[in-house]
């Protein structure tokens, strides 16, 4: 019998989960929950219904794992602990500074109700975190570097859209190739913010807007752009739609370190993601961890976990003997 | 109190373990075991003794984890199950085809005696296997590629040394850059053996040897070289010592796959190692898994495990709350 999955929130991430379920035959979509009027939400999977978010607890016995697809700012801090009372849950909570607090809240709700909650699943936090942990354990005393991109930053795109005279915008974060090469060389460079990433902006201006003023406001914007070398391109709405509709992202996690009695040998561990769709890749990771949540709970476990706490074999649809035979 | 580690076998790998222990303050070297005359084996760590391999069982209560540093062909299949009767054990068994059998033998001995055994630890099998598993779970239906090098292949170097007229030799396996780029592009190329790697040989010939005959014997050698584009350089013994004394290695594990309702978005997951010292890096992984073996056993677990079965947090000297705070 397939693992019965519910999707809570049907934005980009929820749609990605729906596609990911289609790619994983041992999982099955049972229901989608929305805070909108369910009648207005059209999903792709035939024969599956959309319900009001408020009705989720009633479906406690029909769903093995609920995947939460809300935002980290205000949705998940409330929703994940609340739904962990009824379901095994998985979320992609990504406010790094608030993870300890979120962990404690989900842990309590999940433990009290015999469920498993896995938080902060995706690629950063998620796969990037895992790679930092493995690399740190192997090369103690080394140096960590994370680069993001090339990819769309939603926050930076939004910041540009708030400028007067801007109709729409898309911002790409781009790692600096020479900085990557310096890190890979094992020279342990100290890199400033400006040296690690550049920012490239594609802006659709309102008719008659002052382009020079918009460009100046972007490149001098504190926190968002002033510490970076930023390029601004003004393009038409058609060009934005045609060339910048995707949500690509990715990045690099690199650790360098040394071994040997006198640290005479250098090593570089590098993990790289190149993603056409940030939300769909995140969704694919979430579904793999939903499989883990289901199995761990079947084994009698309860409480909150992160990617650090879950043995890799739980993510695979194959059993241990199969994995050892052809993947080890 | 530090985790008390024994080293069983003091070749390149055993020496690497000794250095790795020095880099991990929560571990401590307690004893080195050798099949040679212990008096002839000089180690680096002050105050630690070398014992005869036969005396290992007597030190059952002084050692938390025994790390086995023998070869996979004949040593480990016998030694790991035998020592799992007395100790938690970790080995780097790398004969892929015989892993299921080795697993079963170690599992039985470890379970009967309440110990944990972790086999096939290192980078391939080991970190490469982990990355294959994670990437497969995230991108079902994708394509896997593994490239090795640039690095020294001991087996190929030995094969050259057996040729008449050859005094010494060193062989490098080199991934073909254009093949790597084709894979990263997401085009899912079908690559032949010749298209993936080249082989470069540095050969010291005996005085008066027939160089053309040696070169021909190398490049046409079945299994080892005939399926590859191989380059042969004749150099002096001094040059070999000066320029080719290291044991570098590494490689790439890449998985490409697609997401989206109609598989419209492509993704590339790439893990890369660039290692100055193959045995020292392998040793560093072994020591991290020795920490895991110790902890799992403290929790009451017993039996054989692989890297697939071990939650990443067990590898780190830090506790879960610390890890969540700064590494997630």
């Amino acid at each position: 019998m397939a693992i019965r999955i519910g999707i809570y929130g049907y934005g980009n991430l929820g749609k990605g989960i729906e596609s990911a379920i289609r790619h994983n035959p041992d999982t099955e979509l049972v229901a989608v929950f929305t805070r909108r009027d369910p009648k207005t939400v059209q999903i792709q999977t035939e024969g599956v219904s959309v319900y009001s978010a408020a009705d989720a607890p009633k479906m406690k016995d029909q769903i093995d794992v609920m995947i939460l697809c809300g935002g980290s700012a205000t949705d998940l801090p409330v929703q994940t602990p609340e739904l962990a009372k009824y379901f095994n849950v998985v979320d992609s909570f990504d406010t790094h500074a608030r993870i300890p607090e979120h962990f404690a809240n989900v842990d309590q709700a999940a433990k009290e109700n015999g469920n498993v909650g896995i938080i902060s699943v995706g690629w950063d936090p998620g796969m990037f975190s895992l790679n930092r942990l493995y690399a740190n354990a192997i090369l103690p005393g080394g140096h960590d570097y994370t680069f993001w991109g090339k990819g769309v930053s939603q926050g930076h795109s939004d910041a540009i859209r708030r400028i007067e005279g801007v109709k729409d915008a898309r911002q790409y974060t781009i790692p600096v190739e020479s900085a990557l090469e310096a890190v890979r060389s094992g020279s342990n460079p100290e890199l400033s913010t400006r040296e690690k990433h550049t920012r490239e902006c594609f802006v659709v201006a309102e008719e008659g807007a002052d382009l020079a003023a918009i460009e100046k406001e972007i490149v001098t914007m504190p926190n968002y752009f002033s510490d970076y070398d930023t390029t601004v391109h003004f393009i038409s709405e058609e060009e934005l739609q045609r060339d910048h509709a995707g949500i690509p992202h990715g990045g690099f996690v690199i650790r360098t370190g040394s071994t040997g009695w006198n640290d005479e040998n250098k090593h570089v561990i590098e993990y790289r993601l190149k993603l056409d769709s940030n939300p769909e890749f995140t969704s694919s990771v979430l579904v793999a961890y939903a499989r883990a949540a289901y199995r761990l709970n079947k084994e009698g476990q309860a409480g909150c976990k992160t990617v650090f706490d879950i043995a890799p074999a739980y993510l695979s649809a194959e059993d241990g003997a199969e994995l050892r035979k052809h993947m080890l």
Side-chain angles (χ1 to χ4, degrees), chain A residues 150 152 245-250 273-281:
Chain A
K150 182 180 176 174
V152 171
I247 319 177
H249 220 311
L273 295 175
K274 206 174 120 210
L275 314 175
D276 272 1
S277 167
N278 182 352
E280 285 177 9
F281 187 83

Side-chain angles (χ1 to χ4, degrees), chain A residues 14 41 77 284 302:
Chain A
V41 175
S284 300

Side-chain angles (χ1 to χ4, degrees), chain A residues 5-22 29 31-34 36 41-45 67-71 92 277-284 286-287:
Chain A
I5 292 182
I7 296 175
Y8 197 86
Y10 195 69
N12 282 334
L13 200 58
K15 288 173 190 166
I17 300 289
E18 187 180 18
S19 289
I21 289 171
R22 198 188 194 200
L29 180 62
V32 171
F33 299 92
T34 180
R36 292 174 272 169
V41 175
Q42 189 65 45
I43 69 168
Q44 307 236 49
T45 312
I67 302 181
L68 283 87
C69 300
S92 60
S277 167
N278 182 352
E280 285 177 9
F281 187 83
T282 300
S283 300
S284 300
L286 282 161
V287 169

Side-chain angles (χ1 to χ4, degrees), chain A residues 214-221 225-228 230-232:
Chain A
I214 291 173
E215 176 163 355
K216 192 179 169 201
E217 191 165 341
I218 294 173
V219 301
T220 59
M221 196 185 295
F225 293 101
S226 62
D227 295 337
Y228 299 85
T230 301
T231 319
V232 178

